[in-house]
Amino acid sequence: MSEPMRVVVVNQSGGLYGIERMLLALLPALRTRGVDVTFLALCREEDEGGALGRLLREQGIPVHFVPITRFVGLGPLRRVVATLRACDPHVVHVHGYKAATAVGLARLLWRRPVLATVHSESASSKDMRAAMLAETTFCKSFERVIAVSTGVLRDLQQRGVARDRLAIIQNGIVDRFAVVSADPRGERDPARIVAVGRLVAVKRFAAAIHSVAALVRQGHPCTLQIVGDGPLRPELERLADELGVSAHVQFVGFVDEVTPFLAGASIFAMPSASEGAPMALLEAMAAGCAIVASRVGGIPDIIRHEEDALLIDPTDETDLTRALERLLLDVSLRERFATSARRRFLEEFEAQRMSARYVDAYSTVAAGDA
C-alpha cells in the first residue's frame, strides 16, 4: 500500500480501565509505525468515559465523540456512519460490544472491512446476555476477530465465530519502568502487597483481605494496598474492620496512574475468579513486582507458574495465603520472579510489539486476505 494505512478505532468507554489502558498504549504506538489512526468515542466528551478520548487528543490523535446510550438509535447511527465516511478508513477496529454493535449496524449503510478485538470471555458478562448475543452476531460477519488470549479464542469459537476469522494478539503496554530493569527491587517495602482493579466480586479482593488477616495472625506483618474503586468498597472496608486488619489494608481509590503503587510494593496479587488478558498484570510485570495471580482466563498465557510467578487456584481458599507467605518469607524467590516477569514483559508484551502485530492484521484485512 503506497498511502498510509488509515484506521478508525471505535470504543465506548466507562472510565480508564483495562481496555482503555490498552488503547492508550496501542494508538500512539500505531502512529509511530506510520498508521493514520483516528479514535471514535461512543460517549460524550465531558463524561467520565470521555477521559480516554481527551487523553488521546492530548497526544495528537484525532478524536470524534458520538454519544450512544443503552440502545444504538437511528440518529447516533447516522452520526457514526457520517464520521466513518469522513475519515474514510481502510479498516475499522472495534473494541467492546457497543462498538461492535454500532459499527455492525453502520455497515448496513456504509461498508468497510472491520477488525474486532474481544477482551474477555462471555462468562464474565452473564448479566449482559443480549449485548453478548449482538456482539457475537456481528463478529461472525467481521473480516477478522482478535482474541487477547487462548481462553477468549476458545470462547469465541463456542459462540460460533469461524476459526478462520480468528487470531490471537496479546495486549501490551508502554514500558514506564525502564529504571526498574537496572534494579528490579528498587526502593520497595518488602512487606507491601498491592492489588489493582475495580472493586467487584469477580476480582476477589475479599480473599486478599482474608489472606492478609491470616498472615498477620501467623506473625507475618504485611500491608495490602487496594488500588481501585467500585460498588463493593463499603463491604470490603467493613470486612477489614471485622477481621481486625483495618490498619493493614489501605483503600487507595481510583487513580489515573498506578505506577507509583506498583513501584513501591514487593508483591502484586490478582486473585480474580475470571480475567481476559489483564492490563494490571502486565503493569506489575513491567514494574518488577513478584506476582501471585489466579490460574484463570488468559493469565497462564501471560505468565508462567514457578518461572515468573505463583499461579493459584481461586477456588482454594488457602492457596492465596500460602503463595503470599512464600513470597513474604523468601527474598531470593521474590527477586527471581520479579526479574523473570519483567524480562518476559519486554520480550512479549511491550506496546511496540503489540502494535506491530496489529499493523500486520490491518494489512491482511485491508488487502481482503482475511
Side-chain angles (χ1 to χ4, degrees), residues 135-320:
E135 179 185 57
T136 301
T137 299
F138 289 115
C139 280
K140 290 178 180 178
S141 70
F142 293 158
E143 282 72 16
R144 178 72 75 187
V145 181
I146 301 298
V148 298
S149 70
T150 55
V152 173
L153 185 142
R154 286 193 297 267
D155 181 67
L156 286 164
Q157 286 185 276
Q158 292 169 1
R159 289 158 66 180
V161 181
R163 181 63 182 87
D164 60 3
R165 293 180 184 268
L166 293 168
I168 295 175
I169 298 178
Q170 293 169 320
N171 286 340
I173 60 171
V174 175
D175 181 14
R176 295 187 176 90
F177 300 91
V179 67
V180 177
S181 61
D183 179 8
R185 307 317 310 146
E187 294 295 327
R188 297 174 185 267
D189 182 340
R192 186 184 303 170
I193 303 160
V194 66
V196 178
R198 184 160 165 76
L199 306 191
V200 292
V202 72
K203 300 296 185 179
R204 298 183 69 245
F205 288 111
I209 295 171
H210 276 287
S211 288
V212 166
L215 290 166
V216 170
R217 288 195 303 269
Q218 294 166 17
H220 306 307
C222 58
T223 58
L224 172 66
Q225 279 188 328
I226 297 177
V227 182
D229 212 339
L232 291 187
R233 178 166 180 168
E235 180 180 325
L236 293 170
E237 290 176 332
R238 285 194 300 272
L239 176 63
D241 185 55
E242 291 166 2
L243 294 175
V245 290
S246 291
H248 295 269
V249 181
Q250 178 187 3
F251 291 87
V252 175
F254 177 81
V255 298
D256 288 336
E257 182 56 72
V258 300
T259 302
F261 301 96
L262 294 171
S266 290
I267 300 170
F268 172 83
M270 180 170 276
S272 306
S274 176
E275 290 285 354
M279 302 301 290
L281 177 62
L282 300 184
E283 290 167 332
M285 293 169 69
C289 293
I291 294 168
V292 176
S294 293
R295 192 183 289 105
V296 297
I299 291 177
D301 293 344
I302 296 171
I303 200 160
R304 301 161 297 187
H305 181 52
E306 295 287 358
E307 292 186 55
D308 317 301
L310 295 176
L311 299 185
I312 61 166
D313 178 357
T315 66
D316 184 338
E317 295 297 325
T318 62
D319 210 8
L320 175 61

Side-chain angles (χ1 to χ4, degrees), residues 34-51:
V35 177
D36 183 355
V37 61
T38 299
F39 181 61
L40 172 56
L42 303 181
C43 62
R44 297 190 305 172
E45 182 173 359
E46 61 270 23
D47 289 347
E48 182 180 0

Side-chain angles (χ1 to χ4, degrees), residues 7-31:
V7 176
V8 174
V9 177
V10 187
N11 170 249
Q12 185 189 58
S13 171
L16 295 176
Y17 299 105
I19 294 176
E20 290 79 13
R21 279 146 57 200
M22 177 266 197
L23 293 174
L24 280 172
L26 176 62
L27 272 68
L30 290 173
R31 190 174 58 174

Side-chain angles (χ1 to χ4, degrees), residues 100 110 120 176:
W110 182 81
S120 61
R176 295 187 176 90

